[in-house]
Amino acid sequence: MIIDAGDEEVSLALLEDKQLVELHKEKRSIKFSVGDIYLGKVRKVMPGLNAAFVNVGYEKDAFLHYLDLGPQFRTLHRYYQSALQKKGKIIPVHKFRPEPDIDKEGKITDVLSTGQTVIVQVIKEPISTKGPRLSSEISLAGRNLVLIPFSDKVSVSSKIENPDEKNRLRTLINSIKPVNYGVIVRTAAEGKKVAELDTELRQLLEKWEKAFENIKKDIKSPRLFIGEMNRVSTILRDLLNVTFNSIHVNDSILAEDVRKYIREIAPEKEGIVKYYKGKLPIFDHFSVTRQIKSLFGRTVSFRHGAYLIIEHTEALHVIDVNSGNRSRSGTDQETSSLEVNMAAAKEIARQLRLRDMGGIIVIDFIDMQSAEHKQMLYDAMRDAMMNDRTKHNILPLTKFGIMQITRQRVRPEMKIVTDEKCPVCRGTGEVKPTLLFTEEIENTLGDIVRKIKTRRLLLHVHPFIAAYLKKGIFPLFRRWNFKYHICLKVMAIPSFNMLEYRFLDRYENEIDLS
């Protein structure tokens, strides 16, 4: 994992065998993450939709459907009211008498009314013009367990295949969990000892009940009730396993936070966190920028000249598989089509994770006649999607070679514009004399020396410009050093456009004369 901590956002890149497979960006000011629990106020009850719109502080009201209330909604609401009346001296959940379950076929008007305060959890972030989607079936996720208040079910991840291990975990959790709590055992719990699982369960119980102890201090709604961890910690909690061998972070404070979190959940992995001190931007150093530029465009190349065309619409995503120059190879058409389609399946599975594409995905593979080959392609796509943690469903190929995939959408799709402004005109359509570019850099340098009175400087430029400034026995940048009595160093930055440049001080802070 490569973590680039900027002033406004934190970017996380997950690499498998040096290939970029996931990219996450989190604004430092972001709100409404999946998993956040709010005290919301019912704004409108819509009997026709059997749903309600709830104000949780977002510009658009959030959507809460009757089926997302959860069977124990009345118990949760009465527990909240009890906490308000008791002034924070709450009854432990395991001693609280639950209410009867709400009717599965009931109406929203039977349970909610306008102005009512409800405890809700974000299950989908705001996407496009829609507000967040909510649920009142609350769950608190840990690394090994998910706690569900006011439920009694214990379920074990289907990804744990050993039946003996499943029975061990189910029996173990049933023996340590209190009454009125349900638990989902996550895949990471496989092989874990009772002490470790018991400690995590107690932490989740404390997190839930402590929120109600403090409820009297601020009873206004809407407000955040229990916050999910930041995206960095959430991804580490969900992803960290024995195959992780390095986490590189370019911010010392964040690196220590990550190290501290890993010390809690997997002490043996603490040593994999490394603070990156290199001069190049961290994404450039690990070739992440190059992969982002090549993988987020409309056209994505993969093996032997074959490529994908990816189009997005409001209703669905469409992916077209093209063989490119493969058709000129000597193999017969059916074999060639199978080879391209099999390679495309792996790349498509990677693209779905990378772009976090959700909803309906329609893939137009190259036509194949053999039913056996179609089954092989379907199996290959299922295998390629095995590592995708997001819920998905894959349908077999139709007779027209079309495959349909549905993939759960919980946050906006990752969109990165890979097209750059023309490095010559910078999008204006007008070209200034390129002969004057080095004069522009020198004039800026002179202004910095006069106004800031600094003597040690670093110049970031495109590699071509860096090569020009460094060429010859007595290069241009050295002449500037003698002329202005400074120590200027030139560094090539591959992600810069041709005529982009920046001056940095000795502490590597950008100098902005404006």
Side-chain angles (χ1 to χ4, degrees):
M1 181 179 287
I2 315 298
I3 303 175
D4 180 14
D7 293 334
E8 296 183 358
E9 69 177 12
V10 178
S11 301
L12 299 93
L14 183 65
L15 278 66
E16 292 178 0
D17 299 323
K18 297 185 179 180
Q19 280 200 318
L20 182 65
V21 293
E22 288 189 27
L23 181 68
H24 303 267
K25 290 179 179 286
E26 180 181 22
K27 298 281 186 187
R28 289 195 180 265
S29 58
I30 197 165
K31 296 174 69 178
F32 306 105
S33 294
V34 171
D36 283 345
I37 300 171
Y38 283 85
L39 287 178
K41 182 158 284 188
V42 177
R43 186 71 67 87
K44 286 180 187 174
V45 178
M46 308 292 287
L49 297 174
N50 205 20
F53 287 99
V54 181
N55 179 15
V56 290
Y58 188 65
E59 57 192 60
K60 290 186 178 293
D61 290 339
F63 184 77
L64 176 64
H65 195 273
Y66 181 84
L67 296 176
D68 292 323
L69 289 176
Q72 281 293 315
F73 175 78
R74 285 197 178 94
T75 305
L76 174 64
H77 188 62
R78 192 163 69 84
Y79 190 75
Y80 163 71
Q81 291 179 319
S82 172
L84 284 178
Q85 293 166 2
K86 301 278 185 180
K87 298 182 180 180
K89 298 175 182 177
I90 62 162
I91 303 170
V93 171
H94 66 273
K95 294 182 179 179
F96 196 76
R97 185 170 57 83
E99 296 282 322
D101 289 1
I102 63 173
D103 184 4
K104 287 182 181 179
E105 306 295 327
K107 302 294 183 186
I108 194 81
T109 49
D110 298 337
V111 197
L112 292 181
S113 57
T114 303
Q116 180 177 340
T117 297
V118 289
I119 297 176
V120 288
Q121 186 167 30
V122 177
I123 56 174
K124 280 188 182 179
E125 290 180 11
I127 296 173
S128 185
T129 58
K130 301 173 183 175
R133 176 133 188 193
L134 306 175
S135 170
S136 280
E137 196 163 13
I138 308 299
S139 62
L140 280 77
R143 173 155 171 74
N144 302 300
L145 306 172
V146 178
L147 183 71
I148 306 174
F150 306 111
S151 169
D152 270 322
K153 293 181 180 177
V154 173
S155 56
V156 182
S157 168
S158 59
K159 291 184 179 179
I160 299 177
E161 297 177 353
N162 187 330
D164 292 336
E165 178 64 7
K166 275 191 168 184
N167 290 332
R168 181 188 79 88
L169 289 168
R170 188 177 284 106
T171 304
L172 191 157
I173 296 301
N174 272 313
S175 67
I176 62 174
K177 81 169 186 68
V179 179
N180 288 341
Y181 281 108
V183 174
I184 299 172
V185 182
R186 306 183 72 177
T187 311
E190 188 171 8
K192 294 292 194 305
K193 295 181 179 178
V194 62
E196 187 174 345
L197 298 178
D198 184 61
T199 300
E200 183 173 306
L201 181 61
R202 302 299 157 201
Q203 289 171 348
L204 293 172
L205 291 169
E206 184 181 357
K207 183 178 181 180
W208 173 250
E209 297 194 351
K210 189 166 279 186
F212 285 91
E213 289 175 5
N214 300 328
I215 207 166
K216 193 65 181 176
K217 295 177 183 176
D218 182 6
I219 60 171
K220 293 180 182 179
S221 59
R223 73 172 180 90
L224 183 65
F225 186 49
I226 301 175
E228 176 65 292
M229 298 182 295
N230 62 50
R231 186 69 59 83
V232 177
S233 299
T234 303
I235 292 170
L236 284 173
R237 179 192 69 195
D238 295 344
L239 283 183
L240 191 68
N241 56 47
V242 293
T243 63
F244 254 76
N245 53 34
S246 61
I247 299 172
H248 298 271
V249 192
N250 66 346
D251 182 274
S252 57
I253 297 173
L254 183 57
E256 185 53 41
D257 288 345
V258 172
R259 195 176 285 115
K260 181 180 177 183
Y261 179 68
I262 290 182
R263 196 181 300 136
E264 293 175 0
I265 64 171
E268 72 282 0
K269 286 282 181 182
E270 183 183 348
I272 68 175
V273 182
K274 300 175 178 67
Y275 171 44
Y276 174 75
K277 300 178 182 178
K279 299 293 184 184
L280 273 176
I282 189 168
F283 272 15
D284 287 356
H285 177 78
F286 289 99
S287 300
V288 175
T289 304
R290 179 185 295 275
Q291 293 193 58
I292 290 172
K293 293 289 186 184
S294 65
L295 292 171
F296 275 89
R298 176 176 175 266
T299 302
V300 178
S301 299
F302 52 104
R303 272 175 33 192
H304 308 303
Y307 60 95
L308 307 174
I309 294 178
I310 303 175
E311 298 278 9
H312 309 282
T313 71
E314 185 69 23
L316 47 79
H317 308 277
V318 182
I319 302 175
D320 185 31
V321 180
N322 292 275
S323 60
N325 58 19
R326 286 278 306 196
S327 57
R328 303 190 188 107
S329 62
T331 54
D332 66 274
Q333 185 176 351
E334 182 76 8
T335 305
S336 178
S337 297
L338 177 63
E339 289 177 3
V340 173
N341 285 339
M342 296 288 272
K346 290 183 180 178
E347 183 59 38
I348 289 167
R350 179 187 179 195
Q351 287 288 329
L352 297 186
R353 287 177 67 189
L354 189 58
R355 302 185 188 215
D356 206 5
M357 291 160 62
I360 300 171
I361 300 108
V362 176
I363 306 163
D364 182 12
F365 283 104
I366 299 170
D367 287 342
M368 298 184 296
Q369 302 304 317
S370 168
E372 182 185 356
H373 288 172
K374 290 182 178 180
Q375 184 62 40
M376 286 171 64
L377 177 57
Y378 174 64
D379 293 339
M381 179 57 81
R382 291 183 62 184
D383 291 343
M385 296 281 285
M386 284 288 286
N387 291 330
D388 194 337
R389 305 185 315 280
T390 305
K391 290 180 183 176
H392 58 269
N393 188 31
I394 306 170
L395 297 182
L397 284 163
T398 67
K399 66 178 181 179
F400 298 117
I402 302 292
M403 181 180 287
Q404 299 170 68
I405 299 175
T406 58
R407 190 172 182 274
Q408 187 181 31
R409 190 202 313 241
V410 295
R411 54 178 58 91
E413 177 201 348
M414 177 71 67
K415 289 184 180 177
I416 295 177
V417 178
T418 57
D419 295 335
E420 298 178 354
K421 285 184 180 178
C422 169
V424 179
C425 72
R426 297 186 182 179
T428 64
E430 298 177 353
V431 180
K432 63 182 179 182
T434 52
L435 286 171
L436 302 181
F437 181 59
T438 54
E439 285 188 22
E440 180 187 328
I441 296 177
E442 185 181 354
N443 290 339
T444 305
L445 175 62
D447 289 343
I448 289 171
V449 172
R450 283 192 300 275
K451 292 180 180 179
I452 302 182
K453 309 291 184 185
T454 184
R455 289 291 174 263
R456 294 182 64 182
L457 292 164
L458 180 63
L459 173 60
H460 283 181
V461 288
H462 186 275
F464 290 175
I465 305 300
Y468 177 77
L469 295 176
K470 293 178 178 181
K471 75 172 184 175
I473 299 173
F474 192 47
L476 183 56
F477 88 95
R478 290 198 186 281
R479 282 180 256 162
W480 291 344
N481 280 341
F482 279 99
K483 181 176 179 180
Y484 295 102
H485 306 290
I486 57 172
C487 178
L488 173 68
K489 293 182 179 179
V490 178
M491 178 175 288
I493 307 296
S495 57
F496 274 25
N497 67 47
M498 187 74 74
L499 301 183
E500 183 179 0
Y501 67 93
R502 290 177 195 166
F503 281 101
L504 287 76
D505 61 21
R506 68 172 68 188
Y507 305 109
E508 299 189 15
N509 297 314
E510 184 178 352
I511 298 171
D512 185 2
L513 291 178
S514 61

